[in-house]
Amino acid sequence: MQEKQQEPRKHNSIRTAIIYLLIVGILIIVAIVIRVIFLMFHTSYDGKHQYIVAITRSAKQADIIAFSPDADEANKIRVLQVKGVFRPRNLSRQIGIPIDAQIDYTQGKEIKLKDTMKDIFFRFHLLPVSEQMNVMDAFRLMLFAGGVKEADIIQKTVILPLSEDAQHQLKNFFQDKTIFSEGLSITVINATGRSGIGNSFGKILSHVGANVIAVDTAETERELTTIEYSGFGGWTIQRLEKLLAIKANKVKKTGFSDIIITIGKRSLYLPIF
């Protein structure tokens, strides 16, 4: 009798354990799905437009890589190898290029870009990566790099500080095809009280193909930066919003240019300045 009573108890215990494991498994799967959805909605690389990543390989060498899904096959990936003394945070300003994300990737030997992006993805949480980029961005960039032939990757090397000849060579190297095609005219107004900020920012925009038609200095200083535009904003406005970490305002008229950017003092903390 005792053995017969114990058998149902064993079956009930096994059934309870199985149900418990199933519930835990379902909760884990739901948590993973929610996490993936969250990461997808908080990616900084949209898979459609140019995305520029700076990979620091040593104290005196960095690769600035433009991933350009909207470009033709021969221009989808461009790599600028930078040599010389630099501070990672100031690279954007020193080269005159808007950098979307930075990765500290100091390895003993240089490896191909595809292998580099693969290694960055698998070791993402172990590497110092700027907050703008998440593991989903790393995954998508790894897939993108894997689909481009090594022979089609354009490479150039420059030494800091940049010579006039080097600056001239970089004029169209990081051109954003969509921004160039939209061709929206831009006026930059420096309201920071610090000289040279307007011209510096205007060059950064020009280097990615923006149509900067005027740079001016405001009569009075301002704290906040503003972006005003009329008509079609497109990717150019989205790129400016991302670059300056503010939302643009659509207005009825912006004078003789499509976009007016007024740079205020609070933006001086941004890496591009």
Side-chain angles (χ1 to χ4, degrees), residues 8-247:
R9 288 180 183 176
K10 285 182 180 179
H11 287 304
N12 288 336
S13 298
I14 293 171
R15 189 182 300 165
T16 302
I18 291 172
I19 293 171
Y20 175 77
L21 290 173
L22 283 173
I23 292 171
V24 170
I26 291 169
L27 289 175
I28 291 172
I29 292 170
V30 169
I32 291 172
V33 170
I34 291 172
R35 178 62 176 166
V36 169
I37 293 172
F38 175 83
L39 289 171
M40 289 180 68
F41 276 96
H42 291 80
T43 56
S44 55
Y45 170 57
D46 65 4
K48 299 176 182 177
H49 303 100
Q50 180 168 275
Y51 189 79
I52 301 176
V53 179
I55 299 178
T56 304
R57 294 190 178 272
S58 71
K60 293 185 178 180
Q61 183 179 325
D63 290 343
I64 301 179
I65 307 164
F67 298 88
S68 305
D70 55 349
D72 54 63
E73 287 298 324
N75 289 287
K76 285 194 177 296
I77 294 181
R78 283 150 286 154
V79 181
L80 179 69
Q81 189 177 77
V82 180
K83 295 183 178 181
V85 179
F86 61 86
R87 292 177 61 188
R89 178 176 168 79
N90 294 338
L91 257 179
S92 181
R93 189 176 64 208
Q94 285 181 273
I95 303 297
I97 297 298
I99 293 173
D100 295 293
Q102 290 189 306
I103 304 168
D104 187 359
Y105 184 73
T106 52
Q107 299 296 306
K109 61 178 181 178
E110 288 192 32
I111 56 177
K112 292 181 180 180
L113 179 61
K114 294 178 183 181
D115 296 326
T116 297
M117 298 312 299
K118 189 183 296 182
D119 194 37
I120 286 172
F121 168 67
F122 285 110
R123 298 199 302 120
F124 186 82
H125 294 292
L126 301 175
L127 297 170
V129 181
S130 60
E131 61 183 13
Q132 295 92 336
M133 185 179 183
N134 66 31
V135 69
M136 187 61 68
D137 293 315
F139 176 70
R140 296 173 76 183
L141 291 172
M142 177 190 71
L143 293 180
F144 183 73
V148 177
K149 296 177 182 177
E150 199 71 28
D152 289 338
I153 297 175
I154 301 173
Q155 299 190 48
K156 252 179 195 179
T157 301
V158 295
I159 298 173
L160 295 175
L162 293 178
S163 63
E164 287 188 15
D165 183 55
Q167 291 182 40
H168 180 72
Q169 288 181 27
L170 293 179
K171 189 174 181 181
N172 297 315
F173 191 73
F174 287 99
Q175 186 182 89
D176 186 312
K177 184 180 178 181
T178 305
I179 289 178
F180 181 76
S181 298
E182 289 177 352
L184 300 178
S185 57
I186 300 173
T187 294
V188 178
I189 300 174
N190 179 14
T192 64
R194 186 187 296 180
S195 63
I197 293 297
N199 285 324
S200 175
F201 187 63
K203 284 182 181 179
I204 287 175
L205 296 182
S206 297
H207 285 165
V208 292
N211 180 24
V212 179
I213 61 172
V215 177
D216 204 355
T217 302
E219 294 181 1
T220 57
E221 296 178 13
R222 289 174 55 171
E223 288 292 323
L224 300 179
T225 295
T226 58
I227 303 171
E228 295 180 326
Y229 72 100
S230 59
F232 173 75
W235 169 242
T236 303
I237 285 296
Q238 292 179 50
R239 191 72 176 94
L240 289 171
E241 289 178 328
K242 186 177 175 183
L243 193 57
L244 295 169
I246 59 171
K247 293 295 291 181

